[in-house]
């Protein structure tokens, strides 16, 4: 090796093209903090607006009233969920399974088509993390100032800024925790009781636990939740294909990357459009370099797109070096929007949503359960009749007191022992034992199918029918 080549080789070994704070950082080490740089642009503004909408919806919903109660109230002690005019009882919790299925297939469908936009724009971890980062920047300053502040020795100024930052984080975390609790405990009473010391131990436990969880997740763990703990990042590759929209870097246009002046002709320097400013890395909340290709840590937030577009605009280059694109588009292959996997997810999603809407529209305002006497199938009365005993459980699922009428069908002639008209209060479960006696000569089979019908006395069209059996043994 010649002397000049040896010196060039040694010089190349000494040069580290990364930023000083990133040169020794391992982004897979949770102990290494990522200092995210603020950025402005179309996608950043969209993410902020969607985040504020989601946050406002979460904070304000418990304060909306519906009649004499909270509009959205998951009343666990009475085992019923109020969602505006709809009241869901434990017997209707199959609807909850349908909600989870809709959420799952919606996620599959959107991810197959648009990638991890849920993570980048609407995931609570992302929304709260960006709020905490915004507060951090307002109190401690821009990225370089925050790095400098953390390296400085402790002083009154540093202590004041740190206390203000963590105080604001704890305040937001406490508000988040109490808002979440207010979906289960009436909001108006919750805040008064919590701050006056009159809340229950359960409320204090969950309030403190959720405060610490929010403070830890959004303030300290941040990208660790996305890169190390969130299972979605691990199985997203199952839903991705070459037509899925991702945040991608156009290496054909960007390489070879390198710094240059604005007036320089990149073609004359044998350079691509990427000036290697590393801004795309500095604005990334998970600390990855999108120029290295698709990575599971990418949450599709679009921050690197805005940073790169701003740089391209300043350099006088065409925007879109980093953009929402597909692998096929980057490779120059024609994209396919309609593909079997996407269509399959869409069809299943439509079917589940249709079934869910149908079940919601046809929820019964009352419920009847018929339980036979387990001690004896039947008994003979002193009059020679065959008698069966039943226990009726009647649920009034409405918000008003109602009178209900009971009737039985399937028997030609019978004696009903017990009340046929019952008054049941709103939301009450009434237990009523009855017996039915029949002349054995009127029965054609040892087991006769019967139906017991419960209907609103003033409106017989509102009814519920439950099947049962009448045993005679003959």
């Amino acid at each position: 090796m010649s002397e000049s080549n040896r010196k060039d080789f040694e010089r190349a070994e000494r040069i580290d093209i990364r930023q000083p704070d990133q040169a020794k950082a391992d982004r897979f080490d949770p102990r290494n903090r990522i200092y995210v740089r603020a950025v402005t642009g179309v996608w950043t503004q969209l993410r902020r607006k969607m985040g504020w909408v989601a946050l406002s919806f979460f904070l304000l919903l418990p304060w909306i009233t519906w009649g004499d109660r909270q509009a959205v109230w998951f009343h666990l002690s009475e085992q019923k969920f109020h969602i505006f005019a709809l009241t869901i009882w434990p017997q209707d919790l199959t609807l909850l399974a349908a909600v989870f299925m809709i959420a799952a297939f919606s996620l599959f469908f959107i991810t197959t088509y648009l990638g991890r936009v849920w993570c980048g724009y609407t995931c609570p971890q992302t929304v709260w993390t960006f709020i905490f980062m915004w507060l951090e920047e307002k109190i401690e300053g821009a990225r370089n100032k925050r790095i400098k502040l953390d390296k400085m020795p402790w002083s009154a100024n540093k202590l004041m800024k740190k206390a203000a930052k963590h105080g604001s984080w704890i305040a937001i975390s406490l508000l988040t925790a109490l808002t979440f609790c207010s979906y289960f405990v009436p909001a108006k009473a919750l805040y008064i009781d919590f701050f006056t010391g009159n809340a229950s131990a359960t409320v204090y436990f969950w309030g403190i636990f959720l405060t610490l969880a929010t403070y830890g997740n959004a303030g300290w763990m941040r990208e660790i939740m996305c890169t190390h703990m969130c299972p979605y990042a691990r199985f997203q590759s199952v839903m991705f294909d070459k037509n899925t929209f991702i945040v991608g870097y156009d290496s054909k246009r960007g390489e070879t990357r390198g710094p240059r002046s604005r007036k320089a002709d990149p073609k004359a320097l044998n350079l691509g459009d990427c000036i290697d400013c590393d801004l795309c890395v500095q604005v990334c909340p998970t600390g990855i370099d999108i120029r290295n290709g698709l990575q599971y840590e990418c949450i599709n937030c679009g921050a690197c797109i805005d940073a790169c577009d701003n740089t391209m605009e300043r350099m006088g280059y065409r925007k879109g070096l980093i953009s929402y694109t597909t692998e096929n588009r980057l490779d120059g292959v024609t994209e396919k929007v309609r593909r079997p996997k996407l269509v399959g997810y869409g069809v299943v999603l439509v079917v589940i949503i249709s079934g869910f809407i149908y079940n919601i529209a046809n929820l019964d305002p009352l419920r009847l359960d018929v339980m036979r006497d387990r001690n004896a199938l039947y008994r003979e009365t002193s009059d020679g009749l065959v008698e069966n005993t039943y226990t009726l459980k009647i649920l009034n699922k409405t918000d008003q007191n109602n009178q209900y009428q009971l009737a039985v069908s399937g028997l030609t002639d019978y004696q009903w022992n017990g009340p046929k008209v019952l008054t049941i209060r709103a939301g009450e479960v009434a237990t009523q034992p009855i017996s039915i006696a029949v002349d054995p000569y009127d029965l054609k089979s040892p087991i006769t199918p019967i139906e017991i019908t419960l209907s609103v006395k003033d409106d017989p069209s509102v009814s519920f029918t439950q099947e049962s059996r009448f045993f005679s043994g003959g």
Side-chain angles (χ1 to χ4, degrees):
M1 180 183 294
S2 64
E3 183 66 19
S4 61
N5 288 340
R6 186 182 64 81
K7 290 182 179 180
D8 290 341
F9 180 75
E10 291 177 350
R11 187 181 301 111
E13 282 187 317
R14 291 195 301 268
I15 296 176
D16 194 331
I17 62 172
R18 293 175 292 179
Q19 297 295 320
D21 60 300
Q22 294 173 321
K24 298 180 180 179
D26 177 7
R27 64 186 175 89
F28 294 105
D29 188 345
R31 293 170 297 179
N32 291 324
R33 183 179 177 187
I34 297 175
Y35 292 87
V36 180
R37 187 188 188 105
V39 63
T40 58
V42 174
W43 302 111
T44 300
Q45 289 298 323
L46 176 62
R47 185 182 64 251
R48 286 177 180 173
K49 290 178 180 179
M50 292 184 67
W52 283 117
V53 168
L55 181 62
S56 300
F57 185 80
F58 170 74
L59 293 175
L60 297 178
L61 191 58
W63 296 99
I64 301 174
T65 58
W66 186 268
D68 58 349
R69 61 170 171 80
Q70 195 169 295
V72 179
W73 181 19
F74 304 138
H75 200 172
L76 297 182
S77 62
E78 294 190 6
Q79 298 183 347
K80 54 185 177 181
F81 295 169
H82 298 290
I83 305 175
F84 292 92
L86 179 66
T87 299
I88 299 178
W89 295 81
Q91 293 84 351
D92 303 317
L93 284 184
T94 52
L95 295 173
L96 185 60
V99 170
F100 288 144
M101 293 176 66
I102 290 172
F105 278 95
S106 297
L107 190 63
F108 298 161
F109 179 82
I110 293 173
T111 303
T112 301
Y113 184 49
L114 297 175
R116 292 182 66 182
V117 290
W118 158 261
C119 295
Y121 290 86
T122 54
C123 175
Q125 176 68 21
T126 300
V127 173
W128 264 258
T129 295
F130 275 102
I131 290 173
F132 277 40
M133 288 166 52
W134 178 79
L135 288 169
E136 184 177 51
E137 183 182 3
K138 293 299 180 183
I139 295 172
E140 293 187 355
R143 178 176 182 270
N144 293 336
K145 292 183 178 179
R146 298 199 303 273
I147 296 174
K148 182 178 179 181
L149 180 67
D150 285 348
K151 292 180 178 179
M152 291 171 55
W154 283 97
S155 62
N157 179 59
K158 181 175 180 178
L159 181 62
M160 182 181 65
K161 288 185 177 181
K162 292 294 182 181
K165 180 183 74 171
H166 289 283
S168 64
W169 285 0
I170 292 174
I172 293 294
S173 300
L174 179 59
L175 177 62
T176 302
L178 293 180
T179 300
F180 184 84
C181 291
S182 65
Y183 283 89
F184 301 88
V185 180
K188 294 180 181 179
L190 172 67
Y191 285 84
I192 297 174
D193 291 345
F194 188 88
F195 290 107
T196 58
N198 295 319
S200 65
T202 302
V203 170
Y204 280 116
F205 169 80
W206 285 109
I208 296 172
F209 174 80
L210 292 171
T211 298
L212 295 176
T214 305
Y215 173 71
N217 288 346
W220 292 94
M221 300 183 71
R222 294 187 179 178
E223 75 284 347
I224 297 174
M225 292 292 297
C226 303
T227 58
H228 291 75
M229 302 179 68
C230 179
Y232 180 47
R234 306 293 176 173
F235 67 76
Q236 62 171 327
S237 58
V238 178
M239 293 168 280
F240 274 34
D241 56 43
K242 291 190 175 182
N243 294 290
T244 299
F245 278 88
I246 58 173
V247 175
Y249 166 68
D250 189 352
S251 58
K252 294 179 181 178
R253 174 185 160 190
E255 302 298 325
T256 302
R257 68 185 77 159
R260 81 293 303 266
S261 66
R262 295 183 184 180
K263 298 180 180 179
D265 182 5
K267 293 182 179 179
L269 298 174
N270 196 28
L271 295 173
D273 284 356
C274 178
I275 67 172
D276 204 19
C277 62
D278 264 358
L279 289 179
C280 58
V281 180
Q282 296 178 26
V283 301
C284 179
T286 59
I288 66 172
D289 189 341
I290 197 62
R291 295 171 297 180
N292 294 333
L294 179 63
Q295 298 151 74
Y296 77 87
E297 299 95 342
C298 177
I299 61 172
N300 273 29
C301 66
C304 57
I305 299 178
D306 288 334
C308 187
D309 283 348
N310 292 338
T311 299
M312 293 296 102
E313 187 176 14
R314 287 194 296 268
M315 294 297 295
Y317 299 164
R318 176 170 53 90
K319 295 181 180 180
L321 179 59
I322 301 176
S323 63
Y324 283 110
T325 184
T326 66
E327 289 188 64
N328 277 340
R329 184 182 298 180
L330 290 173
D331 295 337
V333 180
T334 303
E335 298 174 12
K336 295 180 181 179
V337 177
R338 289 180 295 180
R339 45 204 192 269
K341 182 163 59 175
L342 185 63
V343 172
Y345 287 144
V347 170
V348 173
L349 184 60
V350 169
V351 170
I352 297 175
I353 291 176
S354 300
F356 178 75
I357 294 174
Y358 175 82
N359 288 329
I360 286 289
N362 292 276
L363 276 178
D364 295 307
L366 52 93
R367 178 86 181 187
L368 171 65
D369 290 324
V370 179
M371 295 172 288
R372 289 186 45 81
D373 184 0
R374 297 181 180 180
N375 296 321
L377 292 179
Y378 66 94
R379 72 180 185 90
E380 292 186 7
T381 66
S382 58
D383 298 332
L385 302 180
V386 177
E387 185 179 56
N388 283 205
T389 303
Y390 306 88
T391 300
L392 308 182
K393 282 196 172 181
I394 304 169
L395 169 61
N396 179 4
K397 296 166 66 176
T398 67
D399 292 328
Q400 59 186 8
N401 301 339
N402 283 322
Q403 272 195 327
Y404 294 101
Q405 180 83 38
L406 288 164
V408 63
S409 60
L411 299 173
T412 56
D413 189 16
Y414 61 89
Q415 290 182 6
W416 180 287
N417 299 314
K420 277 196 169 185
V421 177
L422 297 172
T423 300
I424 304 176
R425 292 180 298 178
E428 184 184 40
V429 179
T431 301
Q432 179 61 53
I434 65 164
S435 64
I436 300 174
V438 180
D439 190 326
Y441 291 102
D442 294 333
L443 299 173
K444 299 179 181 180
S445 173
I447 302 176
T448 303
I450 64 172
E451 291 182 345
I452 297 179
T453 301
L454 176 73
S455 60
V456 178
K457 186 177 181 181
D458 297 332
D459 187 6
S461 62
V462 180
S463 63
F464 189 93
T465 300
Q466 181 68 40
E467 295 181 352
S468 189
R469 299 289 185 271
F470 187 92
F471 290 85
S472 63

